């Protein structure tokens, strides 16, 4: 167990129970996430609670990438770095962030990317940026889409239920490792995230049945 795994183990008995309580968190399809090997988790994003929610239901330690502004917040920056989170400068080329993405999957870890690049204020998933596709194609690793629903209306005090659905692993072996390949893979990730999110909308309307299974690809 490395240092980051040890911090996550501590978080699972401290932060995770609080997150589950405050969000009434439920997840579907967790068995689809590979337990070993390099992996990209392609996640949508509405709320600051999302990293904790995805982390609570992920069977893997997640190495998140987060905007550099979050790392500069006193206290918060040190906390997220202890969980293996690394920074990215949004809106510009960041070669160090790209290098770290490659290193995470090369070392056999799960890289967690909020693929829209920022929180979606519209309340529905947005356009997927090419980072997840690039990391997967260059690292020859699969992508698992993770959709969250409910966090777009969650706030301290209302505690609306939050739910996560995991998709089946996607492989992009046949695509070129260039801009065209990244675009095509990103479009497929976007379709999968929206499909999972639409399914979660249906599950919320049905009262979030416990034994439901996300649709297969």
């Amino acid at each position: 167990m490395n240092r980051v795994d040890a911090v996550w183990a501590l978080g699972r008995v401290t932060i995770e129970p609080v997150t589950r309580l405050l969000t009434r968190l439920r997840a579907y399809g967790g068995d689809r996430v590979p337990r070993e090997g390099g992996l990209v988790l392609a996640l949508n994003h509405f709320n600051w609670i999302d990293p904790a929610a995805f982390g609570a239901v992920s069977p893997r330690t997640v190495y998140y990438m987060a905007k550099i502004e979050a790392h500069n917040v006193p206290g918060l920056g040190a906390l997220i770095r202890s969980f293996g989170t690394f920074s990215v400068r949004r809106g510009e080329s960041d070669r160090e962030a790209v290098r770290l993405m490659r290193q995470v999957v090369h070392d056999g870890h799960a890289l967690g990317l909020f693929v829209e690049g920022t929180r979606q204020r519209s309340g529905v998933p947005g356009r997927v940026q090419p980072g997840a596709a690039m990391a997967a194609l260059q690292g020859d690793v699969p992508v698992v889409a993770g959709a969250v629903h409910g966090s777009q209306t969650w706030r301290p005090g209302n505690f609306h239920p939050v739910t996560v659905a995991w998709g089946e692993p996607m492989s992009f072996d046949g695509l070129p490792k260039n801009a065209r390949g990244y675009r095509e893979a990103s479009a497929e990730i976007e379709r999968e995230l929206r499909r999972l999110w639409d399914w979660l909308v249906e599950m919320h309307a049905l009262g979030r049945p416990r034994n439901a299974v996300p649709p297969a690809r």
Side-chain angles (χ1 to χ4, degrees):
M1 179 182 291
N2 63 26
R3 179 185 61 81
V4 173
D5 286 331
V7 173
W8 272 79
L10 178 61
R12 293 202 184 280
V13 296
T14 54
I15 299 174
E16 179 179 329
V18 175
T19 301
R20 289 182 178 274
L21 177 65
L22 295 181
T23 62
R24 290 182 278 169
L25 188 61
R26 184 164 295 173
Y28 301 101
D31 58 320
R32 294 173 167 180
V33 180
R35 278 7 183 213
E36 296 180 347
L39 174 69
V40 177
L41 299 176
L43 316 169
N44 72 302
H45 191 19
F46 297 122
N47 194 303
W48 59 264
I49 200 68
D50 293 338
F54 279 115
V57 299
S58 170
R60 299 279 298 272
T61 293
V62 183
Y63 287 70
Y64 284 119
M65 184 173 72
K67 61 184 181 180
I68 196 168
E69 291 84 355
H71 287 259
N72 292 333
V73 175
L76 175 63
L79 175 65
I80 62 178
R81 284 191 295 274
S82 71
F83 279 84
T85 302
F86 59 96
S87 65
V88 62
R89 296 189 299 272
R90 295 189 302 182
E92 58 183 286
S93 176
D94 191 336
R95 293 185 178 182
E96 178 61 12
V98 172
R99 185 192 69 80
L100 288 171
M101 286 194 295
R102 291 172 177 167
Q103 190 65 50
V104 167
V105 297
H106 178 270
D107 291 344
H109 301 306
L111 171 66
L113 298 179
F114 291 103
V115 292
E116 300 136 321
T118 188
R119 287 181 289 174
Q120 300 302 294
R121 307 294 186 180
S122 65
V124 298
R127 183 175 182 181
V128 168
Q129 302 302 312
M134 182 177 66
L137 280 166
Q138 293 187 0
D140 294 317
V141 299
V143 173
V144 170
V148 62
H149 176 60
S151 65
Q152 65 268 46
T153 57
W154 183 93
R155 297 290 183 276
N158 69 28
F159 304 129
H160 288 176
V162 175
T163 315
V164 168
W166 298 107
E168 295 175 318
M170 295 182 286
S171 175
F172 302 113
D173 294 340
L175 293 180
K177 299 178 182 181
N178 56 26
R180 181 176 69 84
Y182 305 152
R183 285 195 304 271
E184 292 184 16
S186 296
E188 187 170 343
I189 292 168
E190 185 173 315
R191 286 191 293 270
E192 177 70 353
L193 271 175
R194 185 56 189 253
R195 191 173 66 90
L196 290 168
W197 187 82
D198 287 342
W199 181 81
L200 283 175
V201 172
E202 294 178 9
M203 292 303 100
H204 272 236
L206 294 172
R208 301 197 301 167
R210 289 189 177 275
N211 297 322
V213 178
R217 293 181 64 232

